[in-house]
Amino acid sequence: DQQVKQNSPSLSVQEGRISILNCDYTNSMFDYFLWYKKYPAEGPTFLISISSIKDKNEDGRFTVFLNKSAKHLSLHIVPSQPGDSAVYFCAAKAPPQGSGNTPLVFGKGTRLSVIA
Amino acid sequence: DSGVTQTPKHLITATGQRVTLRCSPRSGDLSVYWYQQSLDQGLQFLIQYYNGEERAKGNILERFSAQQFPDLHSELNLSSLELGDSALYFCASRGQSGGYTFGSGTRLTVV
């Protein structure tokens, strides 16, 4: 059962426009959410995160919005640039349990293509 | 360069064989996580080590095992390989700041 879902496998956006990538989760214990970007032949790189105590976090062109009641988060990229073309993964994490840190749970990713 | 080193980058092997994937975490990071990414799938958590001890286990098959050594590098051992084990295997390390840093992965192809 997928706890983190990215229902759009791909998204195509024109350069300069807004890209909106969506992510839904089912586990209400998740309290920290991250977005990773992945280029071919590279590992995922951290992009932006948000704690469940916030509903918005902004870093330059990237903004993540969290709607806890809907168990939904989204990543906005404005303006989109051709270099943003990559696969974007949504990830979520629950609080640590006992002596163990809980791992990140990833969605399947959305491939963003920004067309010049 | 993320600071997390994974070797080899590519591996092609036959069914039934055994392989070892290696990961060196970023300097100072004590936690190592292993993930598997199969075709069209997200990253599936396999196992976590912290300072040499296993801390969490995910969807790791019994044919797979891992360990973290005193120098903090980690190895993921995959045995009795099947075609379905073909995937990208990523290692991530986590530091005191809480950030996860991924290596560039090992692409395993089982033929």
Side-chain angles (χ1 to χ4, degrees):
Chain A
D1 179 35
Q2 276 241 291
Q3 297 186 67
V4 177
K5 298 178 184 178
Q6 294 178 255
N7 292 320
S8 298
S10 62
L11 175 68
S12 192
V13 171
Q14 278 205 313
E15 181 179 7
R17 300 287 187 110
I18 184 171
S19 295
I20 300 176
L21 295 94
N22 293 304
C23 177
D24 296 294
Y25 62 95
T26 57
N27 188 343
S28 57
M29 295 297 293
F30 289 147
D31 67 345
Y32 195 66
F33 304 89
L34 308 89
W35 284 94
Y36 280 81
K37 177 177 172 180
K38 185 182 179 304
Y39 293 117
E42 294 182 12
T45 55
F46 171 74
L47 195 56
I48 193 169
S49 63
I50 188 167
S51 163
S52 60
I53 62 172
K54 294 186 173 183
D55 55 17
K56 177 182 173 181
N57 188 25
E58 196 171 347
D59 183 2
R61 297 185 297 115
F62 303 91
T63 303
V64 56
F65 295 92
L66 175 62
N67 182 334
K68 286 192 295 292
S69 61
K71 294 192 177 71
H72 176 84
L73 63 155
S74 60
L75 174 68
H76 293 209
I77 306 173
V78 182
S80 301
Q81 299 174 353
D84 296 329
S85 297
V87 177
Y88 289 78
F89 289 98
C90 172
K93 186 177 175 309
Q97 293 179 354
S99 61
N101 188 41
T102 56
L104 295 179
V105 180
F106 285 84
K108 291 186 178 183
T110 296
R111 182 178 302 278
L112 173 66
S113 300
V114 180
I115 304 161
Chain B
D1 181 10
S2 68
V4 177
T5 304
Q6 288 189 249
T7 57
K9 289 195 182 306
H10 302 276
L11 199 48
I12 301 175
T13 190
T15 53
Q17 294 298 306
R18 182 180 188 273
V19 297
T20 298
L21 312 184
R22 183 187 169 108
C23 169
S24 294
R26 283 190 323 168
S27 178
D29 286 357
L30 301 180
S31 283
V32 169
Y33 298 77
W34 286 97
Y35 283 84
Q36 178 194 54
Q37 185 187 15
S38 302
L39 192 64
D40 294 331
Q41 296 292 317
L43 283 78
Q44 299 290 321
F45 169 67
L46 295 177
I47 198 165
Q48 178 210 353
Y49 280 83
Y50 177 83
N51 203 20
E53 291 186 6
E54 181 185 306
R55 280 295 178 89
K57 232 173 181 176
N59 299 322
I60 187 166
L61 300 171
E62 285 192 12
R63 300 183 285 110
F64 295 1
S65 65
Q67 54 184 327
Q68 186 179 29
F69 294 86
D71 67 352
L72 301 178
H73 91 271
S74 178
E75 292 181 357
L76 179 66
N77 300 298
L78 315 176
S79 61
S80 303
L81 285 167
E82 302 174 359
L83 296 177
D85 297 327
S86 296
L88 273 166
Y89 291 84
F90 288 102
C91 163
S93 73
R94 184 172 185 267
Q96 294 293 334
S97 65
Y100 294 76
T101 304
F102 283 82
S104 56
T106 293
R107 181 175 292 280
L108 173 66
T109 303
V110 182
V111 297

